[in-house]
Amino acid sequence: MRKLLSLPPSLVPAFHQVEGVDESEYYCTSDPVGHRVGSGGGTVWLLQQAASDPQFHFRLGDDRQATERCIIVHAGGQGRRLPAYAPSGKILTPMPPLHGDLYGPSLLSMQMPLLERIMEAAPSSLRTIIASGDVLITAADHLDPLPSADVVCYGLPASPYRLSRHGVYAMPKNAPTQLDFMMQKPTVERLSALEATHDCLLDIGLWLLSERALRLLQQRATDEHGAIQSYDLYSDFGGSLGMHPTTPDPELSTLSVAILPLPEGRFLHFGSCSDLIASASILAGSDNVERVWVENSCADGWTFCGENIVTGVPENGWKLQLRQGLCIDVVPMRGGGFALRPYGFGDAFRGTLAEPETTYLGQPFFQWVGQRNLLSEFDSSTDIQFVPLFPVVSTMAEAELIFRWMTSDVRDENARQAYLRCPRLSAQQISDQADIEALAAQRLRLRRRNYNEQQAFSGLRRHLATTVRRGGRTPDLAALTTIVTASSPLRIDISGGWTDTPPFCLYHGGSVVNLAIDLDGEAPLSCTLKPLDEPLIRMRSVDLQASEDVRSWEQLRDYAHLGEAFSISKAALSLAGFAPEFCSKPYASLAEQLGGRGFEIITHSRVPAGSGLGTSSILAATVLEAVGRAFALEWTREDVCQLTLVLEQLLTAGGGWQDQYGGIYGGAKLLTTLPGSVQRPLIEQLPTDLWTHPDLAPRHLLYFTGMTRMARQILAEIVRDMYLQNPAQRHLLMQMKAEAQLMATALRVSASTNDLQAAFTAYGRLLRLNWQRNQQLDAGCLPPAIARLTTLIDDLCEGYKLPGAGGGGFLYIVAKDAEAACRIRQILNENALSPTARFYEMSVHP
């Protein structure tokens, strides 16, 4: 889906790097300089600019073809009421962390998934969705298909007071989706008069247009010479829609219109300082009584009195107490130095200097100027947005001197002279000349400096575990009357690995293709439970030749030791309700809960740890499956997979959801999730012809290298940048998500083509690409010894990779033909890295 964005001028050249998005997917430009075009004219301008850019290859409709389906976001405003994010655009405002992590993504990153879901729910006749860049809209996970109208708009119910401040759709009560007319900021009295006859919904700026509607919009937003003219989508175009439009236009009134309430919708505005605090607090579920926002800043030793916004402040030795309503923004400039911008929380940056209503730092501007003997410095007829008010400083010591003078110490003549010597910029010039890359680099640098791995993982762990604790469960020991066994295959991650890992998938969703496999003809992981007459829990590991008797909660809770023989079993039994924090019934002790009986739990893994085949996660799912059946917990496969994600957090292992889904569900499948705290993948089974066809099966080779590396070592490195919202990493992960979809398409095609060899070659190419992406994500995933090994066989392979996090374990190889497969076996057997190195025979687990 192509995305077209209108942005502030300074952000346009930096956008793709700063946000970490693909230039072939996102097109951005600014509105025409010095020419107001409105949201309607801006929409047409953006479409035309994208279509005329030879590098973007966007198709704009005419009489012979339709416009390419796209998402348009308008985010090019001046940001007068939210100076903190005017330079980088409100669309890149960092959101508060939502899932127990450290930092949230940008407003755009959080909004785009919903826009994509709406377009997926829309019929092909709807070509374009238009949205605002200073709002965050959330909705239910499921959206019903949209009707085939020319214009489809989403709205939300709201109080008359709130409706009176926005656009409003009015629908007759006997036709609740049919627009009667649209109003802009109607009075409360007008809304009250309509209550008996109409349903009114808040216009949240989500509009979908058909090709016909787009063409009519283009006609009205251009003059007779084809030049863009000012035309508003919501008041001008919207006012002409409906059965009784407020601004009649015979042609526009023929457009069919459907108004839909957004299911479980929420509308959060980020248009002003007050909006920023209020919306962020709602989003994070916190009160933020102090109304303080400190972001991308060094503010150690500062104190705040409320309604303070601090952004962009580099390292400093300041000891400041910000009075109520005092804010500060420091912006690196492309020409060098930093623009220092103190301002008031309620400053609107609107109006000429001579107007008494024009305020600066919470007081009339002329009063502030008079106190500092600056009356001769400024033209009183100039709009404050364009007044060269803010000094560009070269050191933070100079910045502190001037800041104190600008905000309180009016008698300091040295500071006044320093202010007068500095180059000065207006608010508009700051936005136009800001060094956005430097601003983003500072943000990432400060986040890295302050990163605390333990805090990051523990916050996410608490967040995910809470979803389980709310429910609680009580295992039925009487249900275990005989031996219960569960067994599972392993998985090979074919494409999209890492996109399933929190916190990335919580904000962006994940897409993974993986394959369930048996080794040497059997499922290699198993868990068995047996009843005992003794009041204890006996744990045994066949492969590790270890045992332990558990008699207390203290022993059972001692599971946060990754890699220990019984950490998985202890955590699984705790989640099953044998630990009091996960149990729905109170017990005085584990002995009381066991009630004189006990059981034995036996695990067996026929594959080395650190294999890269998802062993730990799938073993955890296998144990949970066996425990659920043994104690009548009635867990579904979905429940088991969700509990495995929580279990791994309890073990401090971290990790994503693809391993357990890859093992619990057989065959090849595409797993996709939506953003959100609860990751429940949609599972699409894919054809397995490329593995099961007798001519192709021998060309899939699975080789144990003898080298292992625990996934946590790589996981910690990669997840760190997920927590930090590193844009370069996010870009790479988004590419990997898209390539998983390409892999799924290749496998679907393989079942319908007569040329299996071509499909096999395409599969191998995408597998090789996935391995290259893994190495881009973490160069350490390919140890030098294995790199030397793969160079010996590279020309014999369509593709290969180290499954999982990499670093060792198994090497999965796709040979070019049967002869190449034989040659690969010979080469690797002759160049073994370890006495334990060997080939395993792999087969698809149904």
Side-chain angles (χ1 to χ4, degrees), residues 158-179:
S159 67
Y161 171 74
R162 192 175 193 192
L163 290 173
S164 70
R165 301 169 62 195
H166 296 275
V168 177
Y169 307 115
M171 288 75 63
K173 286 191 176 292
N174 61 356
T177 65
Q178 299 300 307
L179 179 68

Side-chain angles (χ1 to χ4, degrees), residues 324-342:
Q324 184 172 358
L326 180 56
C327 307
I328 179 173
D329 184 29
V330 179
V331 185
M333 306 309 295
R334 290 199 299 272
F338 298 87
L340 173 68
R341 174 163 45 188

Side-chain angles (χ1 to χ4, degrees), residues 610-663:
S611 67
L613 299 178
T615 308
S616 297
S617 299
I618 301 174
L619 180 60
T622 308
V623 172
L624 286 165
E625 182 184 356
V627 167
R629 287 202 277 121
F631 300 114
L633 292 170
E634 299 182 351
W635 286 338
T636 65
R637 288 194 294 180
E638 175 64 32
D639 294 331
V640 168
C641 291
Q642 289 293 310
L643 287 167
T644 303
L645 181 63
V646 178
L647 185 150
E648 291 199 308
Q649 299 298 329
L650 295 179
L651 297 183
T652 71
W657 40 256
Q658 74 137 317
D659 292 351
Q660 56 266 33
Y661 281 90

Side-chain angles (χ1 to χ4, degrees), residues 189-351:
E189 292 74 19
R190 169 71 167 141
L191 292 166
S192 298
L194 288 170
E195 282 185 359
T197 57
H198 288 75
D199 293 323
C200 290
L201 292 178
L202 176 72
D203 173 16
I204 57 176
L206 289 183
W207 287 46
L208 291 96
L209 304 183
S210 70
E211 186 67 27
R212 179 167 177 250
L214 277 174
R215 290 179 186 172
L216 291 177
L217 176 63
Q218 184 171 4
Q219 290 173 13
R220 281 149 184 77
T222 54
D223 61 21
E224 63 272 17
H225 305 293
I228 300 293
Q229 59 185 1
S230 182
Y231 187 76
D232 189 75
L233 177 69
Y234 306 105
S235 59
D236 296 331
F237 191 82
S240 299
L241 300 177
M243 294 180 287
H244 299 92
T246 54
T247 309
D249 180 318
E251 194 170 16
L252 290 184
S253 66
T254 64
L255 293 173
S256 57
V257 183
I259 308 297
L260 306 176
L262 187 64
E264 299 179 28
R266 187 169 57 173
F267 175 80
L268 301 175
H269 195 207
F270 290 85
S272 67
C273 295
S274 183
D275 289 338
L276 173 69
I277 299 292
S279 295
S281 299
I282 293 171
L283 200 58
S286 65
D287 294 332
N288 195 358
V289 177
E290 299 83 6
R291 291 169 65 79
V292 172
W293 176 276
V294 179
E295 191 273 323
N296 192 15
S297 295
C298 296
D300 298 338
W302 296 24
T303 57
F304 308 99
C305 297
E307 295 189 334
N308 306 122
I309 294 178
V310 179
T311 50
V313 180
E315 293 188 32
N316 61 84
W318 303 3
K319 299 296 180 184
L320 287 183
Q321 179 177 358
L322 293 188
R323 68 173 184 267
Q324 184 172 358
L326 180 56
C327 307
I328 179 173
D329 184 29
V330 179
V331 185
M333 306 309 295
R334 290 199 299 272
F338 298 87
L340 173 68
R341 174 163 45 188
Y343 62 96
F345 187 83
D347 290 350
F349 284 93
R350 189 173 300 280

